[in-house]
Amino acid sequence: MKDREKSPVENLKAFLRGFFGAFKHSSTEYLEFELRELENVFALILMGEFVGIPSPPTTLVIRLLPHMTRELYVMQRRVVDMDDILGELAGMFEIT
């Protein structure tokens, strides 16, 4: 029975580990969301010519285009998921 009981120091360590782990998880989730949005904005700036936004010089776009494969996939995925961006933000900040 005594093997199952932990010392108060071990309990405190477990509590702090869980407490800071929750902060780390929400911070990581926020940073991942911000990274996705920045990738989307970057792709929109480079590909803005398709929607009528003045774009950077064409030579720059052509040089960056091979590195934009992932961003193009992100843009396609965002188009599918764009129906509830405010819901996603509210869920991230736990606003009800």
Side-chain angles (χ1 to χ4, degrees), residues 15-29:
F15 171 75
L16 291 177
R17 192 176 312 123
F19 185 72
F20 290 116
F23 280 119
K24 190 185 302 182
H25 176 71
S26 63
S27 299
T28 303
E29 187 175 302

Side-chain angles (χ1 to χ4, degrees), residues 33-45:
F33 176 78
E34 188 172 342
L35 176 65
R36 286 193 315 262
E37 289 300 315
L38 288 176
E39 287 174 344
N40 195 23
V41 168
F42 182 69
L44 183 62
I45 288 172

Side-chain angles (χ1 to χ4, degrees), residues 44-50 52-58 61:
L44 183 62
I45 288 172
L46 284 182
M47 303 297 170
E49 192 171 286
F50 294 128
I53 298 173
S55 66
T58 306
V61 173

Side-chain angles (χ1 to χ4, degrees), residues 1-86:
M1 186 76 175
K2 282 196 164 196
D3 293 337
R4 301 187 94 203
E5 294 180 13
K6 294 182 179 180
S7 71
V9 175
E10 290 177 4
N11 286 334
L12 181 64
K13 283 181 181 179
F15 171 75
L16 291 177
R17 192 176 312 123
F19 185 72
F20 290 116
F23 280 119
K24 190 185 302 182
H25 176 71
S26 63
S27 299
T28 303
E29 187 175 302
Y30 177 72
L31 288 175
E32 287 173 350
F33 176 78
E34 188 172 342
L35 176 65
R36 286 193 315 262
E37 289 300 315
L38 288 176
E39 287 174 344
N40 195 23
V41 168
F42 182 69
L44 183 62
I45 288 172
L46 284 182
M47 303 297 170
E49 192 171 286
F50 294 128
V51 291
I53 298 173
S55 66
T58 306
T59 56
L60 179 64
V61 173
I62 290 174
R63 284 183 182 177
L64 290 174
L65 197 56
H67 304 285
M68 296 286 299
T69 306
R70 184 172 180 273
E71 283 77 14
L72 290 174
Y73 286 123
V74 169
M75 283 178 65
Q76 288 178 336
R77 191 176 59 223
R78 296 294 295 171
V79 167
V80 172
D81 297 338
M82 281 299 278
D83 60 342
D84 196 15
I85 187 105
L86 290 178

